[in-house]
Amino acid sequence: MPCYQLEGITPVVHPDAYVDPTAVLIGDVIVGPDCYVGPCASLRGDFGRLILKRGANLQDTCVMHGFPGTDTVVEEDGHIGHGAVLHGCRIGRNAMVGMNAVILDYAEIGESSIVAAGALVKGRFTCPPRSMVIGAPAVVKRELSEEEVRWKYEGTLEYQELARRYQRAMKPCDPLTEQEADRPRMRTNKIAPKGEEAAG
């Protein structure tokens, strides 16, 4: 992975984390155990500190950044969908940020909440635990059900297992020129989408 020390501060990646070789880590970045950082993610710790706590995932093309002196934090088991932008915010334990959502400075997403795909969460926004957050600008629509919280957590467990799968079995290769007649499928657990609100 492209990893850069800046002014004497070096990114930290726990040995049990997986960071894709195309992700970029600069400066004050801390990636905890069992984390997954996807292809082309950008963690630019040149002003504020960026922290992924145990079991968090930051998927393809996500961006983390923050103002000087701030912490941008994804708490334990946080789940950040493809293309999301986190800037100087805090994502609570077991919360999910949907694809292409933007979370701005000093916003705090409560534990076990879901921010819908494409949402724009304004600076200093806060929500209680187990909130469904939707819209641009985002608002709390309702409380999440036990089933939705469980579905989210199961999805996060898939990404923790994905980190282990990549560590075990991903390797560079040349593409085939034709599809095999008996081409196998990837083996994963069940996870299926729950609808448009929870896409991520």
Side-chain angles (χ1 to χ4, degrees):
M1 86 197 87
C3 183
Y4 302 97
Q5 182 184 88
L6 182 64
E7 296 170 349
I9 300 177
T10 304
V12 176
V13 177
H14 191 278
D16 292 338
Y18 173 81
V19 178
D20 189 87
T22 63
V24 179
L25 280 60
I26 300 171
D28 199 358
V29 175
I30 301 168
V31 178
D34 303 320
C35 288
Y36 168 89
V37 177
C40 300
S42 175
L43 293 86
R44 189 160 63 89
D46 50 10
F47 290 145
R49 177 167 293 170
L50 312 179
I51 303 168
L52 294 177
K53 294 193 177 179
R54 178 183 293 273
N57 68 77
L58 187 78
Q59 297 173 23
D60 317 50
T61 72
C62 287
V63 174
M64 286 183 76
H65 192 242
F67 288 134
T70 64
D71 290 352
T72 304
V73 180
V74 181
E75 297 283 357
E76 184 175 332
D77 296 327
H79 188 105
I80 313 301
H82 315 287
V85 176
L86 307 180
H87 201 280
C89 57
R90 182 173 294 268
I91 309 303
R93 184 182 181 281
N94 196 43
M96 182 172 94
V97 175
M99 293 181 276
N100 290 317
V102 176
I103 318 292
L104 295 176
D105 299 276
Y106 308 108
E108 295 194 15
I109 303 302
E111 180 174 345
S112 297
S113 292
I114 293 176
V115 177
L120 172 61
V121 176
K122 293 169 69 173
R124 301 192 184 278
F125 173 94
T126 61
C127 68
R130 300 174 58 103
S131 296
M132 174 62 78
V133 178
I134 293 175
V139 296
V140 175
K141 182 175 181 183
R142 60 178 173 80
E143 185 175 343
L144 293 174
S145 68
E146 285 291 339
E147 180 186 5
E148 288 168 317
V149 172
R150 184 169 50 254
W151 168 82
K152 183 270 152 201
Y153 184 63
E154 289 172 354
T156 300
L157 291 177
E158 278 291 323
Y159 269 89
Q160 291 170 4
E161 176 58 23
L162 184 64
R164 292 186 286 271
R165 287 174 58 207
Y166 276 29
Q167 287 173 330
R168 283 192 310 264
M170 193 172 86
K171 57 186 178 182
C173 67
D174 293 322
L176 301 174
T177 56
E178 293 183 18
Q179 178 180 326
E180 315 96 305
D182 58 348
R183 185 175 179 85
R185 290 198 175 264
M186 291 291 172
R187 293 181 185 166
T188 62
N189 294 331
K190 51 183 186 351
I191 310 308
K194 280 294 206 186
E196 294 178 15
E197 286 181 349

